[in-house]
C-alpha cells in the first residue's frame, strides 16, 4: 500500500483529523492518537487495544507487522506499508479506529498562566522583597 492510500484510508474514518502528537504529525481521533507515519513514511504506527492484538498480527504476517523496543510495553504496532495487504490494513485500521473511538475524550491540558513561562513559579513576597528588611 502506498502512503497516499494509507493517508486517505485514515482520513475517511469519522472524526479523524491530522494534528500533532508528541510533536510529530499524526492522525487523531477526537483528539486522541490513532496513527502516524515514520521511517520516511514507509511505516505506519497504529494504536491498538492491547499488546496481545499486536502479537496476533505479528504471527499473522511478520513481514508486515512488527514493533521496536520503544513500543515494547505500548499497545501499538508498526506496519510496513510495502508489505501489508490492502484488505488486511483496512481491517486493522478500522479495528484500531473502533478502539480509540470507544475511549473517553482526552483531558484538556492546562495552559501556563499568562506572562509566565511553563514551569516558572510565581514570585510572591519573601524576606528579600522590598519593604522588608
Amino acid at each position: 500500500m502506498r502512503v497516499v492510500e494509507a493517508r486517505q484510508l485514515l482520513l475517511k474514518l469519522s472524526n479523524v483529523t491530522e494534528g500533532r502528537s508528541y510533536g510529530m504529525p499524526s492522525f487523531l481521533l477526537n483528539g486522541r492518537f490513532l496513527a502516524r507515519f515514520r521511517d520516511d513514511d514507509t511505516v505506519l504506527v497504529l494504536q491498538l487495544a492491547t499488546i496481545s492484538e499486536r502479537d496476533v498480527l505479528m504471527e499473522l504476517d511478520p513481514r508486515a507487522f512488527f514493533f521496536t523496543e520503544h513500543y515494547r510495553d505500548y499497545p501499538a504496532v508498526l506496519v510496513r506499508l510495502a508489505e501489508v495487504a490492502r484488505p488486511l490494513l483496512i481491517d486493522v485500521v478500522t479495528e484500531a479506529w473502533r478502539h480509540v473511538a470507544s475511549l473517553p475524550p482526552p483531558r484538556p491540558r492546562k495552559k501556563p498562566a499568562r506572562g509566565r513561562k511553563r514551569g516558572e513559579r510565581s514570585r510572591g513576597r519573601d524576606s528579600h522583597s522590598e519593604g522588608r528588611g
Side-chain angles (χ1 to χ4, degrees):
M1 178 172 274
R2 295 179 310 150
V3 173
V4 66
E5 294 169 309
R7 185 176 178 277
Q8 288 171 347
L9 168 64
L10 287 158
L11 291 174
K12 282 183 182 178
L13 296 167
S14 181
N15 298 320
V16 174
T17 59
E18 289 183 272
R20 296 189 83 69
S21 179
Y22 296 99
M24 303 297 297
S26 302
F27 297 91
L28 306 176
L29 171 55
N30 299 324
R32 287 193 172 276
F33 176 80
L34 174 63
R36 77 174 181 88
F37 293 112
R38 62 172 267 170
D39 299 343
D40 296 322
D41 295 347
T42 62
V43 171
L44 180 70
V45 179
L46 188 63
Q47 171 76 40
L48 299 174
T50 67
I51 292 172
S52 297
E53 190 176 334
R54 175 182 68 204
D55 294 342
V56 169
L57 291 170
M58 289 173 39
E59 275 188 39
L60 183 66
D61 189 346
R63 286 188 350 230
F65 299 103
F66 69 106
F67 71 96
T68 63
E69 189 61 32
H70 177 77
Y71 294 100
R72 176 171 301 284
D73 299 323
Y74 186 73
V77 70
L78 297 131
V79 186
R80 290 181 185 98
L81 293 174
E83 300 293 334
V84 69
R86 180 181 175 82
L88 180 55
L89 184 63
I90 290 169
D91 288 347
V92 172
V93 167
T94 302
E95 189 58 35
W97 177 89
R98 281 188 190 112
H99 164 67
V100 176
S102 73
L103 298 173
R107 291 178 295 186
R109 292 184 179 177
K110 291 183 180 179
K111 294 183 180 180
R114 284 188 112 176
R116 280 190 257 155
K117 293 180 184 172
R118 188 177 212 173
E120 184 178 60
R121 289 186 178 159
S122 165
R123 294 186 185 179
R125 301 192 115 212
D126 59 20
S127 62
H128 299 288
S129 298
E130 279 186 37
R132 296 191 70 181

